[in-house]
Amino acid sequence: MSEISETASGGVVWQSSPPGSIYDYIRVASFSIGPDGLVEQWSRRAVDLFGVTAEEARGKDPVEAFMPADLRERGHRRVKEILDGKEWTGLVPFRMPGEDRPRGIAEMYVMPSETQTGERAALCIVVDVRALRRIETDLAASQAIFGQSPFGFLLFGTDLTVKRANRRFATVFGGEADDHRGRTVHDYLGHAEADRMTTALRRVLETGESVTDFQIIGAAPGARDRRHWSINLYRVHSGSGRPIGVAGLGIDVTRRHNAAREAANARRNLALLNEAGARIGNSLDLKATARELLDVAVPGFCDLASVDLYQGLLTGDEAPPGRWGNSHDVGYGAGSAELRRVAFASAVSDTPRTDEGHGADSGCCGPVPIEVGAVHRYPFNSPCAGALRTGRVRTVPGGEGDLVQSTLIVPMVAHDTLVGLVQFSRAKGSEPFGERDRALAVELAARAAVCIDNARLYRREHERALILQRSLLPPGDPEAAGLDIACRYLPGTAATEVGGDWFDVIELPGHRTALVIGDVMGRGLRAAVAMGELRTAVRTLAQLDLEPAEVLSHLDEIARGLGAPIGAQQSRSHKNRGPELSEVYLATCVYAVYDPVTRRCTFANAGHLPPVLVEPGEPALLLDVPPGMPLGVGGEPFEEVEVELPEGALLALYTDGLVESRDHPLDEGLQAFRRALTDPDRALEDVCDRVLTSLDTGHGEDDIALLMARIQGLPGEAVGDWQLPREPRSVGRARELARAQLAAWDLDALVDTVELLVSELVTNALRYGEGEIRLRLLRDRTLVCEVWDAGLVQPRRRRARDTDEGGRGLQLVGLLSSSWGSRRTPRGKTVWFELALPDGEGAAEPTVEQLLSMF
């Protein structure tokens, strides 16, 4: 069907071919010559070519008008020959009328013709040679780009079929270049990618907007590997500007894509390792560490993962879980020991917790589920057991119909010690594991294994330190004369190391009681050992019946001795270092001695928190006990403060873990502690519980020790106290007073023994002592007899010779009493003995052998 279009000169022509034909490029002009050799007809294209209108050209000799003067003679001959019936083709220089120099060269084709009357004429067709040269240049350039390009080149028509393909494209997709004419993108790509490409072609054809770096994925014919191409699309136009198709330039970017993927994987691996370093091992709990490993790996590294640890490791077995480096190892290292599934993670929905990554035919676990917490064994010939035996990574492909395509079985090894097994799996459709993935899996497992092994070692040391620490605390509920005692001890959580807190209740002669509380600064086994040494020293010094300030002074020297320089022999092993000190131990301590007869308590403080006293009907207050320097500092004396405690008062000693934490300062903790003691009339155990529940004691940052005592005092009827003059008859008087007091206490069974021992002690006071003599009997859980004098010479027990008439008094005291001793007082000394109260069976009489042992 014909179309109507406008020419460049504005004329309207009928045309059956679409615009943009070859004639639009070369613009052919024509004119005719009559029998007289003059121009008869002059086309509009000739007007455009020569710049001469039809009126100016008609009737002129074309040779004279358009050819240079030196060529006119030859031109006239050619015209004559043409009018004689000859055709002629050639290049003719032409000029514009009125110009001397040629303007251009025209390629002319002259054909003889006849007029209506039969006369000879000629039809001339003229083409500007410059236009032809431009076409040749354009064709050569197009051929160079299209035919010689190292990239695949396609030209799609408006119907989106291939109109032309270059040799490079044919090399990749097979056949010759012409074989691809008429094909569509569906002949080269999969359905989904072909649809994407078709949509892009149609959009470029319709809008004219180019598309650059359009990524498509496909496989060349006969090849399995998937290739990546980057496609650039742009619309192609005719000379008149009409769209005639879409050109596509394809570049194989598979290597670039693989390199980018490798770089992305490397960045991902580095990021995973960085995340693993930050997240794995934040706790000292074995199961928590396993869960942290899976939190990092899923889904960043794999789709499914599980961790198995040796059962002996979790139950605290002292034997190492396994050393795969030794070929003689069995048991753990043989790969058949009991393991427990401690963690499982999946990024795939509806995933059963099974070892499906091995496939049902792998001989490992098959479809048998292993729940978290289940204890199991891997068959000896299974891949998991093999990995445990050899300590090497195993890659197990998934079976037909399995959820996952492959699994990495990675032993968890730390310091040549095998602690368990981790399995990483990727589901079908995910990228398979590569060598970089294997290396990353080993690194992740190794980091987790080190953390788990550290947790195991820490747990073992922590348990040992905790056992040591608890063994040094008073067993059961301590008892003391004139005191109701309650105590609490809370160790720090498993995430913190064991501390050096301790308390003690020590019975002293005369029914007195020493109350001790202390805290070694620092944590760990060393702090617990230092605490044990200081506690033992306190008990030893307490038996010497020293004043509280003296006790702390001796403790200070002991604490400084714990941090003494390392021996010279050990220092020589470090030639390049100066004198080294072992860890310096500092400790705080409160030492108090309570006398139930006078209800007076003497305090000495070495840098510890002050005791709290609650008198009946009064608010709790902090006792003003001068805080000396901590033990181990040295150089400063300790002060004593004596306080009279009313009946029913409540005394509390405590460590800083009770009143101090990260969440609140010390002052707030002390105020909260005092408020918790507002109801001291309640049972002492209930008061302790109230304190622990009302204060923030669950932080676990530090150990907590609490020692509470309610003052009761000895009643007056339980004390017999007499002054005796320094004269011989005081011995008999002492026996009479003791006999009468025992009768009043219904302790007739002890009369004979007490009379004998009192007589010996008073006699020694008269013979070796000074000043007045004081006799005191105390009745509580035991019977205590004390004889005081102003002499400073301490009695010494010795074995009398056979010929000696005396010297056996203290031997007799030691034989008949349950315990005896002497202590210094501010005004002399006190010699005492203690007897157990009768239980209704009468006092045990000394045997003959015991009596003869004195001689």
Side-chain angles (χ1 to χ4, degrees):
M1 183 176 182
S2 299
E3 297 179 357
I4 298 177
S5 63
E6 291 188 1
T7 65
S9 60
V12 179
V13 298
W14 293 94
Q15 61 182 29
S16 298
S17 61
S21 66
I22 188 63
Y23 297 105
D24 292 333
Y25 289 97
I26 61 176
R27 304 188 68 81
V28 178
S30 64
F31 62 90
S32 62
I33 300 175
D36 55 1
L38 303 179
V39 176
E40 286 189 342
Q41 294 181 341
W42 191 258
S43 68
R44 292 182 179 178
R45 290 286 178 87
V47 175
D48 296 335
L49 177 62
F50 294 103
V52 178
T53 63
E55 291 76 8
E56 295 174 339
R58 280 195 295 267
K60 290 185 178 182
D61 185 343
V63 174
E64 296 292 334
F66 300 106
M67 294 185 69
D70 56 342
L71 297 177
R72 291 173 185 172
E73 183 178 356
R74 189 196 303 178
H76 286 298
R77 287 199 304 270
R78 295 299 184 193
V79 172
K80 184 177 180 181
E81 292 175 358
I82 292 170
L83 293 177
D84 288 341
K86 292 182 179 181
E87 294 185 359
W88 178 80
T89 302
L91 297 176
V92 179
F94 68 89
R95 67 178 180 84
M96 295 300 172
E99 296 180 0
D100 296 332
R101 299 180 62 185
R103 185 176 182 180
I105 298 176
E107 183 174 351
M108 186 175 294
Y109 178 42
V110 183
M111 298 171 290
S113 63
E114 294 182 356
T115 64
Q116 292 181 351
T117 59
E119 293 179 294
R120 297 288 180 91
L123 177 62
C124 301
I125 298 176
V126 184
V127 178
D128 190 347
V129 174
R130 293 175 299 179
L132 293 177
R133 296 295 179 266
R134 285 197 299 270
I135 293 175
E136 290 176 355
T137 302
D138 292 345
L139 288 175
S142 175
Q143 182 63 28
I145 296 174
F146 196 85
Q148 301 173 23
S149 172
F151 309 117
F153 210 112
L154 285 177
L155 178 62
F156 295 92
T158 55
D159 58 353
L160 304 185
T161 60
V162 176
K163 299 302 181 183
R164 189 175 179 185
N166 70 346
R167 185 181 305 169
R168 175 60 181 167
F169 183 86
T171 301
V172 176
F173 287 92
E176 299 294 331
D178 292 339
D179 297 339
H180 295 275
R181 297 180 184 271
R183 294 184 181 181
T184 66
V185 293
H186 286 83
D187 296 318
Y188 306 106
L189 303 173
H191 182 72
E193 291 292 271
D195 287 345
R196 289 180 59 237
M197 184 68 177
T198 301
T199 302
L201 286 170
R202 186 172 289 111
R203 184 170 65 250
V204 172
L205 186 63
E206 293 174 355
T207 65
E209 296 179 358
S210 300
V211 173
T212 59
D213 198 21
F214 182 74
Q215 298 288 325
I216 60 174
I217 302 174
R224 292 185 177 181
D225 57 324
R226 293 156 58 90
R227 311 294 294 178
H228 294 259
W229 288 284
S230 173
I231 306 297
N232 296 321
L233 302 175
Y234 57 93
R235 191 168 68 181
V236 179
H237 304 84
S238 66
S240 62
R242 178 178 61 88
I244 60 173
V246 177
L249 178 65
I251 303 174
D252 190 339
V253 294
T254 305
R255 291 185 179 180
R256 187 176 72 186
H257 178 81
N258 292 340
R261 183 181 61 187
E262 287 294 321
N265 289 340
R267 288 193 297 269
R268 181 204 64 184
N269 293 353
L270 288 175
L272 279 175
L273 289 177
N274 183 59
E275 184 181 5
R279 297 180 60 182
I280 298 176
N282 290 326
S283 68
L284 289 171
D285 181 81
L286 279 69
K287 297 180 182 178
T289 302
R291 289 191 295 268
E292 290 165 355
L293 168 61
L294 299 193
D295 290 341
V296 172
V298 179
F301 176 67
C302 61
D303 300 314
L304 303 94
S306 62
V307 177
D308 296 318
L309 298 180
Y310 280 115
Q311 176 70 357
L313 183 77
L314 297 168
T315 56
D317 190 350
E318 288 297 321
R323 298 186 180 273
W324 56 268
N326 299 329
S327 59
H328 62 273
D329 270 349
V330 294
Y332 285 121
S336 58
E338 286 188 341
L339 297 105
R340 186 192 303 176
R341 175 65 50 84
V342 295
F344 175 85
S346 172
V348 183
S349 59
D350 303 328
T351 304
R353 300 192 173 190
T354 66
D355 287 339
E356 295 186 32
H358 307 152
D361 302 327
S362 65
C364 202
C365 289
V368 180
I370 301 178
E371 297 291 338
V372 173
V375 178
H376 63 96
R377 294 175 184 267
Y378 287 116
F380 185 83
N381 294 324
S382 64
C384 289
L388 291 173
R389 285 194 302 273
T390 62
R392 296 179 180 176
V393 182
R394 294 287 184 95
T395 303
V396 181
E400 196 69 30
D402 281 350
L403 173 67
V404 301
Q405 66 171 355
S406 63
T407 296
L408 290 177
I409 305 174
V410 187
M412 304 178 70
V413 181
H415 312 301
D416 292 338
T417 299
L418 189 64
V419 299
L421 191 74
V422 59
Q423 301 177 57
F424 303 105
S425 301
R426 287 183 178 174
K428 291 290 179 64
S430 297
E431 185 178 351
F433 289 115
E435 287 302 318
R436 290 182 182 270
D437 297 323
R438 287 172 61 94
L440 177 61
V442 172
E443 179 65 22
L444 290 175
R447 292 197 179 196
V450 169
C451 295
I452 288 174
D453 193 49
N454 290 342
R456 175 183 69 87
L457 297 175
Y458 169 81
R459 183 182 64 181
R460 184 183 65 185
E461 296 301 320
H462 184 270
E463 289 176 352
R464 291 176 179 177
L466 199 58
I467 292 172
L468 172 62
Q469 186 182 41
R470 287 177 173 172
S471 67
L472 297 175
L473 296 175
D477 296 326
E479 295 182 355
L483 292 175
D484 183 13
I485 302 291
C487 54
R488 293 290 187 274
Y489 173 76
L490 298 179
T493 61
T496 60
E497 295 185 76
V498 68
D501 293 14
W502 93 92
F503 65 90
D504 209 344
V505 178
I506 307 171
E507 294 187 59
L508 299 178
H511 287 314
R512 293 171 306 132
T513 303
L515 302 176
V516 189
I517 196 158
D519 184 3
V520 176
M521 299 181 188
R523 310 198 61 78
L525 185 59
R526 291 180 177 272
V529 171
M531 178 270 285
E533 293 180 346
L534 292 177
R535 178 181 180 272
T536 303
V538 169
R539 281 193 158 264
T540 302
L541 294 171
Q543 297 306 319
L544 297 177
D545 210 355
L546 302 176
E547 296 298 323
E550 292 184 71
V551 172
L552 293 186
S553 296
H554 288 294
L555 282 179
D556 180 57
E557 294 180 3
I558 294 172
R560 279 185 289 163
L562 296 178
I566 298 176
Q569 201 170 26
Q570 192 172 357
S571 295
R572 282 196 294 269
S573 61
H574 305 278
K575 295 181 180 180
N576 297 328
R577 303 180 184 177
E580 293 187 3
L581 292 178
S582 64
E583 184 175 352
V584 176
Y585 290 101
L586 299 178
T588 63
C589 180
V590 169
Y591 185 85
V593 176
Y594 171 69
D595 188 342
V597 178
T598 62
R599 293 201 311 276
R600 301 187 70 83
C601 188
T602 304
F603 296 92
N605 189 352
H608 200 81
L609 294 172
V612 175
L613 179 65
V614 187
E615 297 185 7
E618 299 292 335
L621 58 90
L622 298 176
L623 289 180
D624 187 13
V625 180
M629 299 299 292
L631 302 177
V633 175
E636 294 292 333
F638 298 97
E639 298 183 41
E640 292 181 358
V641 173
E642 188 176 59
V643 180
E644 184 174 350
L645 305 179
E647 186 75 17
L650 190 64
L651 180 65
L653 305 178
Y654 53 96
T655 57
D656 57 358
L658 180 67
V659 294
E660 186 177 23
S661 72
R662 299 177 185 175
D663 300 330
H664 57 75
L666 178 61
D667 292 341
E668 292 183 7
L670 288 173
Q671 292 177 4
F673 180 38
R674 293 166 62 185
R675 287 194 300 268
L677 298 174
T678 54
D679 189 12
D681 295 334
R682 302 173 63 180
L684 201 56
E685 294 290 336
D686 295 340
V687 175
C688 286
D689 293 337
R690 175 184 171 84
V691 168
L692 295 182
T693 54
S694 60
L695 270 66
D696 180 20
T697 58
H699 51 77
E701 299 171 7
D702 196 2
D703 296 353
I704 294 174
L706 174 63
L707 177 60
M708 304 190 73
R710 176 169 283 124
I711 307 303
Q712 295 177 343
L714 287 181
E717 59 271 15
V719 179
D721 195 350
W722 306 274
Q723 296 286 343
L724 300 174
R726 191 171 186 79
E727 55 187 27
R729 63 178 182 174
S730 293
V731 177
R733 178 60 180 164
R735 286 197 298 266
E736 293 175 0
L737 293 172
R739 186 187 312 114
Q741 186 64 63
L742 293 178
W745 289 340
D746 294 329
L747 296 177
D748 296 332
L750 299 179
V751 169
D752 293 340
T753 302
V754 172
E755 281 188 337
L756 176 60
L757 299 184
V758 165
S759 177
E760 289 292 336
L761 294 185
V762 173
T763 300
N764 284 344
L766 289 173
R767 181 176 300 178
Y768 305 108
E770 299 177 4
E772 287 190 345
I773 299 172
R774 181 182 177 186
L775 172 65
R776 189 168 75 169
L777 294 180
L778 305 176
R779 180 182 183 275
D780 192 68
R781 291 175 292 116
T782 61
L783 177 67
V784 174
C785 175
E786 299 175 330
V787 176
W788 300 6
D789 69 80
L792 298 178
V793 179
Q794 295 290 323
R796 181 172 60 88
R797 185 176 176 179
R798 64 182 179 85
R799 179 176 294 278
R801 293 190 297 270
D802 294 342
T803 58
D804 290 344
E805 294 183 2
R808 298 179 177 85
L810 291 181
Q811 287 183 266
L812 187 62
V813 173
L815 177 64
L816 297 180
S817 64
S818 57
S819 62
W820 76 279
S822 66
R823 68 178 186 275
R824 291 180 179 176
T825 65
R827 298 177 181 177
K829 67 175 182 297
T830 301
V831 183
W832 57 271
F833 68 84
E834 184 175 4
L835 293 174
L837 298 181
D839 54 6
E841 299 179 357
E845 297 291 337
T847 63
V848 176
E849 289 78 6
Q850 289 174 327
L851 293 174
L852 291 177
S853 66
M854 295 187 296
F855 297 92

